[in-house]
Amino acid sequence: MRVTGGRVVEVGRGLHAPGAPVLQADGSFLIPGLWDAHAHLDMEAARSARIDTLATRSAEEALELVARSLRDLPAGSQPATIQGFGHRLSNWPRLPTVAELDAVTGDIPTLLISGDVHSGWLNSAALRIFGLPQASAQEPGAPLKEDPWFALLDRLDEVPGTRELRESGYQQVLADMLARGVTGVVDMSWSEDPDDWPRRLQAMETQGVLPEVLPRIRVAVYRDKLEHWIARGLRTGTELAGSPHLPDGSPVLVQGPLKVIADGSMGSGSAHMCEPYPAELGLEHACGVVNIDRAELTDLMARAGRQGYEMAIHAIGDAAVDDVAAAFALSGAAGRLEHAQLLPADALDEPNGALRRLVGCGVELSVQPAHLIDDWTAVGRVWAGPGGAHLRVRGHGGRRGSAAAGLGRAGGAAGPVAGDGGSGGARDAGRLGVVIGPAAHSRGGPGGQRQRGRTGGGGFSGRSGAPGRGSPAPGGRGSGPGASTGHDRGRCRRPSAHLTRRAATPGAQTSRA
């Protein structure tokens, strides 16, 4: 095989290339470069300098790791910050407090970030930096979750030492990707400005540490920054100003999708579910967290689509997936459903099942197998026993597999949110079909009946939000002016004949960033 300028130009036996370097690959196999369709490179870059809390089974174990890291410091030295990453709050028997983290860390700003990145356990010194209430005798404090926590992710550099901690790790992250055969990545990191990645690569070049070969990087944007990106003339596929170029002349840095986090996570007990979490978990929001309701999501996707953006919509819980499927159908937007782990039990029902809608709209499923496996412990704890969680993984041969055959699939590692941050997702996603479940939401095992939180038959007619026979209860998600219609078919390739609006799931929090 002859390669010129980074492209395969000839394949055959007995090729001759006088003077060209020859790589002997006997016993190996050659494949196209892999794409990691979902990664958080900023978190991965910072991870090497953070305490690994992945294996902790309680707040006490995490606190001991922090205390040990302080004991191991040279005498008389004090770090600018203490940071950890990897734990899952839902795997701990109780929620920790700010006060007990203060007792170990004192005035050193400390952040322990959950492995799913949906919560942060901060001490009072860190909260003080962000102008947030600190622990007191009357209020010991608790980890921040979802939107209140996401609002801080853009501000982590305000904690002394954080920027240096993160930027120092990018060189190794890029090298590791290429060593694993990953030649392209969709970076889902939070970013303040479209120039962040061009500046980063320029700084690495100035320091003499820029890798000789670079992967292609598609840079996502989040909804709070979308208008800034639009004002800069960016859309999905646009080359970022200042991007280096590959040997074939194509840019390294390209604008990626609009990333929207529709709900929470299993690890933080905040994934938006059709049925409530067990009361013994003591969660504030019984059915999880709605970061953006169905009507607002539909409007956002429609606007972004008109501006040339593809979507990457995070939805973990089955109720969230149902909302996202409806929003794709109603908005006509193109893109992907991120994670695709828990689909409603009626996902295959015609015509309104979530999977049917996704297939009809040509939506891809971005599957991260390691993410699914990481969540398995949390799911098993929430719906334990034979009448509990019943997740079904199907390939492409069975009835459910064939029903999903119309969906495109993209592989991703979700690193470092899942697994070891490697390219396992990129390798494995093509072997997976769809996870359908938890089917035992009825508490009666597979096949049992369950209440979906829907009102009676019918839906909305008209964009004004005037209720039809199946209107949401007052104050429900999506009620009021601007609510999506029940009959808007969008621009689906195979539109549903009737899109039923769903009432608010009792106990779900709706929050807007």
Side-chain angles (χ1 to χ4, degrees):
M1 185 180 73
R2 190 195 313 274
V3 179
T4 302
R7 290 184 176 273
V8 177
V9 296
E10 189 177 6
V11 177
R13 296 182 179 275
L15 299 181
H16 297 284
V22 177
L23 300 178
Q24 295 294 341
D26 294 350
S28 302
F29 61 92
L30 189 67
I31 62 172
L34 299 171
W35 268 87
D36 187 338
H38 187 125
H40 297 264
L41 298 186
D42 57 343
M43 305 295 291
E44 183 66 30
R47 186 172 69 161
S48 61
R50 285 176 169 151
I51 299 169
D52 184 359
T53 61
L54 175 63
T56 58
R57 295 167 295 179
S58 66
E60 288 77 13
E61 290 186 0
L63 290 169
E64 172 55 29
L65 289 178
V66 173
R68 186 186 309 161
S69 73
L70 290 172
R71 290 195 298 268
D72 291 343
L73 290 172
S77 65
Q78 178 172 303
T81 179
I82 300 170
Q83 299 190 16
F85 178 86
H87 57 279
R88 297 293 203 270
L89 290 179
S90 62
N91 291 342
W92 292 357
R94 65 174 180 85
L95 283 177
T97 67
V98 173
E100 57 190 321
L101 188 56
D102 289 349
V104 174
T105 59
D107 288 331
I108 304 171
T110 302
L111 305 89
L112 301 184
I113 302 171
S114 66
D116 53 27
V117 200
H118 280 253
S119 69
W121 184 14
L122 282 62
N123 71 349
S124 289
L127 292 169
R128 190 181 310 124
I129 291 173
F130 297 119
L132 296 175
Q134 302 160 52
S136 67
Q138 296 74 30
E139 179 50 65
L144 298 169
K145 295 183 181 181
E146 302 310 322
D147 277 359
W149 164 242
F150 294 151
L152 299 186
L153 283 175
D154 274 343
R155 302 175 55 194
L156 290 188
D157 286 357
E158 296 177 26
V159 177
T162 298
R163 176 182 289 275
E164 294 78 7
L165 178 149
R166 182 186 66 251
E167 295 297 324
S168 65
Y170 272 108
Q171 177 189 3
Q172 191 61 48
V173 165
L174 297 179
D176 288 348
M177 286 172 52
L178 292 168
R180 289 169 165 153
V182 178
T183 58
V185 61
V186 181
D187 183 16
M188 300 293 189
S189 303
W190 275 266
S191 182
E192 276 291 324
D193 191 85
D195 297 327
D196 282 353
W197 260 109
R199 279 195 295 257
R200 180 172 296 119
L201 295 183
Q202 180 61 50
M204 293 172 69
E205 184 175 33
T206 301
Q207 297 162 15
V209 297
L210 185 70
E212 182 178 354
V213 178
L214 290 170
R216 301 174 190 270
I217 303 172
R218 291 168 60 90
V219 183
V221 59
Y222 283 74
R223 58 178 168 132
D224 61 325
K225 300 293 191 298
L226 178 61
E227 295 305 321
H228 176 44
W229 259 244
I230 291 174
R232 289 282 298 268
L234 296 172
R235 58 190 295 165
T236 299
T238 304
E239 176 180 342
L240 297 187
S243 170
H245 290 81
L246 298 171
D248 64 358
S250 61
V252 169
L253 302 173
V254 171
Q255 181 57 51
L258 169 65
K259 174 72 182 294
V260 182
I261 301 178
D263 73 335
S265 69
M266 288 303 305
S268 296
S270 55
H272 183 206
M273 306 300 296
C274 293
E275 292 292 325
Y277 291 87
E280 56 267 26
L281 293 182
L283 300 177
E284 181 180 359
H285 307 292
C287 287
V289 174
V290 182
N291 288 322
I292 180 170
D293 66 35
R294 182 183 293 194
E296 186 181 4
L297 178 61
T298 299
D299 291 342
L300 173 64
M301 291 169 63
R303 162 137 176 84
R306 290 192 298 269
Q307 297 297 323
Y309 281 86
E310 296 176 0
M311 308 298 132
I313 313 296
H314 161 113
I316 297 290
D318 53 357
V321 171
D322 198 51
D323 280 349
V324 171
F328 268 112
L330 293 165
S331 68
R336 302 204 309 258
L337 170 67
E338 299 294 334
H339 307 307
Q341 295 177 189
L342 296 167
L343 298 185
D346 62 358
L348 291 167
D349 289 358
E350 288 281 11
N352 295 330
L355 187 56
R356 298 290 182 183
R357 290 180 179 177
L358 294 169
V359 169
C361 294
V363 177
E364 293 182 348
L365 297 186
S366 179
V367 181
Q368 296 83 41
H371 192 290
L372 186 156
I373 293 168
D374 278 357
D375 273 358
W376 194 272
T377 300
V379 172
R381 179 171 180 240
V382 171
W383 292 286
H390 183 71
L391 302 182
R392 292 169 289 187
V393 181
R394 300 284 184 174
H396 305 306
R399 179 176 65 86
R400 293 180 183 271
S402 62
L407 284 167
R409 287 170 304 283
V417 175
D420 62 358
S423 57
R427 290 193 302 267
D428 297 341
R431 299 206 300 260
L432 292 181
V434 181
V435 180
I436 307 290
H441 269 173
S442 62
R443 313 291 184 189
Q449 298 297 312
R450 68 189 179 99
Q451 296 296 318
R452 286 292 315 282
R454 293 186 188 274
T455 53
F460 277 128
S461 57
R463 290 286 297 180
S464 67
R469 285 188 297 119
S471 61
R477 293 185 302 114
S479 60
S484 304
T485 73
H487 297 279
D488 183 349
R489 298 184 181 185
R491 296 191 299 274
C492 298
R493 291 203 295 266
R494 192 186 62 135
S496 297
H498 184 71
L499 300 178
T500 303
R501 283 301 307 268
R502 181 162 58 81
T505 303
Q509 177 204 33
T510 300
S511 58
R512 301 186 180 186

